[in-house]
Amino acid sequence: MGASLSSTSSYLQYKNDFELVIRATKDLEHLLETGFGAASGKTIGLHDKITAVQASHGLSMDTVKKLRYLVTLRNKLVHDHEFNKLPDRAHFAKSYDSVEKELKEKLKGSSASGCIIS
């Protein structure tokens, strides 16, 4: 995977909406697979990975809603011939940053609670 950027200003360096969206969602997919154990491969989509992680790690509905927003925009940009520009670049980047932070905090919490000393 390429260099992982993780701040709104970092992602907004990309002037092209396609690059912004693809890089952000690639990083998101990588985090879901490596941090949360979501299945990888070409036959499972990001929405499926979100559903799996929601069930296995108890993601909040707010986090799931943000994740689905990001992935839906990604899918529209990639698959809808008439959709060629994000409606709000800054909102997309801020939403990504927010969800990335929430996921990383969830990972910290689950690794901390996994250690039991008796």
Side-chain angles (χ1 to χ4, degrees):
M1 270 302 121
S4 180
L5 301 172
S6 61
S7 74
T8 302
S9 59
S10 302
Y11 277 107
L12 289 177
Q13 76 173 326
Y14 302 115
K15 302 299 179 206
N16 179 307
D17 286 352
F18 287 90
E19 186 172 16
L20 166 65
V21 169
I22 297 302
R23 286 185 184 272
T25 54
K26 276 178 71 171
D27 286 347
L28 174 63
E29 187 166 24
H30 181 72
L31 180 59
L32 291 174
E33 290 173 358
T34 60
F36 291 89
S40 61
K42 296 182 189 276
T43 60
I44 183 164
L46 269 168
H47 281 293
D48 297 324
K49 292 176 187 188
I50 293 165
T51 300
V53 171
Q54 178 184 17
S56 65
H57 288 81
L59 298 181
S60 72
M61 287 307 297
D62 186 53
T63 298
V64 170
K65 183 178 177 181
K66 290 176 194 173
L67 285 164
R68 295 203 186 282
Y69 164 78
L70 295 168
V71 175
T72 298
L73 283 177
R74 178 242 175 239
N75 288 346
K76 284 183 76 170
L77 199 61
V78 171
H79 299 293
D80 184 342
H81 190 269
E82 302 299 317
F83 191 83
N84 295 303
K85 184 178 188 244
L86 288 171
D88 186 340
R89 299 180 95 246
H91 180 67
F92 180 91
K94 286 178 186 173
S95 294
Y96 176 82
D97 285 344
S98 170
V99 95
E100 179 193 46
K101 180 180 177 186
E102 291 171 33
L103 291 174
K104 287 183 176 181
E105 286 174 0
K106 185 84 167 168
L107 281 176
K108 283 182 191 176
S110 66
S111 65
S113 65
C115 180
I116 300 173
I117 300 173
S118 56

